[in-house]
Amino acid sequence: MQRGTAQRRAILQALREAPGPLTAQELHELARADAEGLGLATVYRNLNELEREGRVVEVRLPGDARRYEPAGRGHHHHFRCVRCDTVFELELGCPLSMLEDVTLPGGLHVTGHELVLFGVCDACGGSASATRRDSVSGSA
Ligand SMILES: [Zn+2]
Ligand SMILES: [Zn+2]
Ligand SMILES: [Zn+2]
């Protein structure tokens, strides 16, 4: 088996298993556990190729590094933890669907929107019962 194929598969798998879109650095950390000798430059090269093939899409959140997620997830939004910077997919339906394809006063026709929620994730003590603890990366 070619080494490149294994690396590419590890990258795709890490993207699929993540709670949300990953930066190239986060992806590198996760994928290299399954792909020996995987370098950050290789991660970038694979991301470019996968994006060109339409299998991965770029996600841009304000004030954040570029992130990537598997293509085909449809219209959805993201939640970013302000403590650990993890970004999560939001499973709930779009709360702004009433703004889809409408014309606002002044003749402003809406064709799309972006929405990012910020807050504290469960691991960082987001729920009331959880006690505050420092974020631990790599915990399963
Ligand atoms: Zn967090
Ligand atoms: Zn997403
Ligand atoms: Zn929406």
Side-chain angles (χ1 to χ4, degrees):
M1 186 176 61
Q2 292 176 340
R3 199 170 94 154
T5 311
Q7 290 178 334
R8 188 183 165 94
R9 199 169 48 216
I11 285 168
L12 272 171
Q13 183 168 336
L15 282 172
R16 273 192 225 107
E17 290 174 356
L22 300 171
T23 65
Q25 281 83 2
E26 289 170 344
L27 180 56
H28 180 227
E29 290 291 315
L30 291 168
R32 74 178 169 184
D34 294 319
E36 208 181 322
L38 179 68
L40 187 55
T42 306
V43 171
Y44 276 113
R45 197 185 65 234
N46 273 279
L47 281 172
N48 281 333
E49 287 172 8
L50 290 165
E51 199 182 356
R52 228 177 15 244
E53 293 164 18
R55 302 184 68 181
V56 162
V57 292
E58 193 184 304
V59 176
R60 285 173 190 258
L61 305 182
D64 193 21
R66 235 174 252 204
R67 291 174 179 272
Y68 299 87
E69 69 181 25
R73 287 188 172 167
H75 181 81
H76 65 280
H77 296 290
H78 299 104
F79 176 101
R80 182 155 115 224
C81 176
V82 297
R83 293 206 180 134
C84 67
D85 274 339
T86 304
V87 175
F88 299 84
E89 305 284 312
L90 284 181
E91 309 287 336
L92 41 133
C94 177
L96 293 177
S97 53
M98 80 292 247
L99 282 176
E100 274 168 25
D101 203 32
V102 298
T103 301
L104 300 172
L108 308 175
H109 188 70
V110 179
T111 57
H113 63 259
E114 288 182 12
L115 170 72
V116 183
L117 301 181
F118 296 89
V120 182
C121 78
D122 195 33
C124 290
S127 63
S129 60
T131 50
R132 172 75 215 274
R133 56 192 152 121
D134 293 323
S135 67
V136 179
S137 62
S139 61

